[in-house]
């Protein structure tokens, strides 16, 4: 069995990546007997674009029907994901949305599986469990006031139609850089941020671990 985490942050050891790793730890811990392999895919290491609207994936009797025909760094990854036993998406919030890199990736991953028939049916070869983790500078109240969950629900509902309903987790008020005194950051209280990091992040990590533990039945 293989479970993949898709890191939509450019940073490989910060909030999003750390929580994704904890989810994978949870998967492995609970499914000990199942010989589970895990892998983090760092999107910012890869050269690719969003969907190019070539429609090769919808061309009747075409050799790419139901598949993305664009040849670049994610072609093989999309192929691997079609057979995954679990996929966890992780993104920092950028400009009130998921990161551009993950948005482009999801365009490519999901569109070939959406059929332009009367029911807009879906043809993914496998319906594996999924999850989505969002990390953001905003505290929970601001996330609620800005209605982030509504924005996030758009991709979540496509993921549900195509694969399965994602389990969702939010990590708020994240610590963005190591030493706030070195950056213009008077908008924030470093003390409050540091305390939140110290007190809340371990809970978030545990939540991520538990999410992983629930993911594969
Ligand atoms: C370009 C950019 C835009 C951001 N926009 C938002 C935003 O709209 N809302 C928010 O809550 N945080 C925003 N943030 C903060 C990040 O979402 C937050 O620090 C996140 O946890 C970073 O994830 P990482 O540590 O995995 O890279 C932004 C950060 C950057 C670099």
């Amino acid at each position: 069995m293989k479970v993949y985490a898709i890191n939509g942050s450019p940073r490989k050891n910060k909030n999003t990546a750390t929580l994704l790793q904890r989810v994978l730890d949870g998967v492995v811990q609970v499914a000990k007997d199942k010989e589970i392999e895990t892998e983090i895919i760092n999107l910012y290491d890869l050269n690719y674009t969003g969907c190019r609207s070539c429609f090769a994936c919808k061309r009747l009797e075409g050799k790419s029907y139901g598949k993305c025909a664009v040849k670049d760094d994610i072609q093989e990854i999309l192929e691997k994901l079609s057979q995954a036993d679990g996929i966890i998406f992780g993104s920092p919030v950028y400009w009130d949305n998921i990161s551009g890199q993950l948005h482009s990736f999801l365009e490519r991953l999901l569109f070939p599986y959406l059929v332009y028939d009367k029911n807009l049916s879906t043809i993914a070869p496998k319906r594996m469990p999924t999850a989505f983790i969002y990390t953001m500078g905003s505290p929970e109240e601001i996330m609620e006031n800005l209605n982030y969950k509504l924005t996030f629900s758009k991709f979540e509902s496509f993921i549900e139609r195509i694969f399965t309903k994602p389990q969702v987790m939010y990590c708020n008020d994240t610590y963005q850089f190591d030493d706030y005194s070195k950056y213009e950051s008077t908008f924030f209280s470093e003390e409050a941020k540091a305390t939140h990091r110290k007190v809340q992040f371990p809970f978030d990590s545990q939540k991520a671990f538990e999410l992983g533990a629930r993911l594969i039945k």
Side-chain angles (χ1 to χ4, degrees), residues 7-99:
N7 181 18
S9 167
R11 307 196 293 178
K12 292 182 191 168
N13 60 358
K14 297 293 184 193
N15 299 283
T16 313
T18 304
L19 294 179
L20 285 173
Q21 185 56 57
R22 291 300 288 151
V23 177
L24 295 181
D25 292 345
V27 167
V28 169
Q29 173 86 9
V30 163
K32 269 186 198 129
D33 50 328
K34 291 203 177 106
E35 283 193 30
I36 295 211
E37 268 184 75
T38 61
E39 183 179 342
I40 292 201
I41 294 171
N42 289 299
L43 295 182
Y44 281 80
D45 283 349
L46 305 167
N47 230 325
Y48 64 95
T49 67
C51 173
R52 289 165 174 260
S53 205
C54 67
F55 292 105
C57 63
K58 314 247 175 290
R59 176 114 186 176
L60 294 170
E61 290 163 40
K63 66 179 183 342
S64 294
Y65 187 81
K67 288 183 178 173
C68 183
V70 178
K71 292 187 185 356
D72 60 14
D73 284 3
I74 63 169
Q75 195 181 36
E76 262 180 40
I77 292 170
L78 297 178
E79 195 60 44
K80 285 199 293 188
L81 290 180
S82 72
Q83 299 307 319
D85 297 293
I87 310 177
I88 306 108
F89 304 96
S91 187
V93 173
Y94 283 176
W95 299 106
D96 297 350
N97 213 319
I98 59 171
S99 67

Side-chain angles (χ1 to χ4, degrees), residues 7-18 91-97 134-139 142-143 146 148 171-177 180 188 193 197:
N7 181 18
S9 167
R11 307 196 293 178
K12 292 182 191 168
N13 60 358
K14 297 293 184 193
N15 299 283
T16 313
T18 304
S91 187
V93 173
Y94 283 176
W95 299 106
D96 297 350
N97 213 319
Y134 304 92
T135 79
M136 67 203 85
S138 301
I142 295 181
M143 172 180 81
L146 295 176
Y148 279 2
C171 172
N172 296 95
D173 210 352
T174 53
Y175 205 63
Q176 293 195 61
F177 20 77
Y180 275 62
F188 307 105
K193 280 273 180 199
R197 170 81 184 181

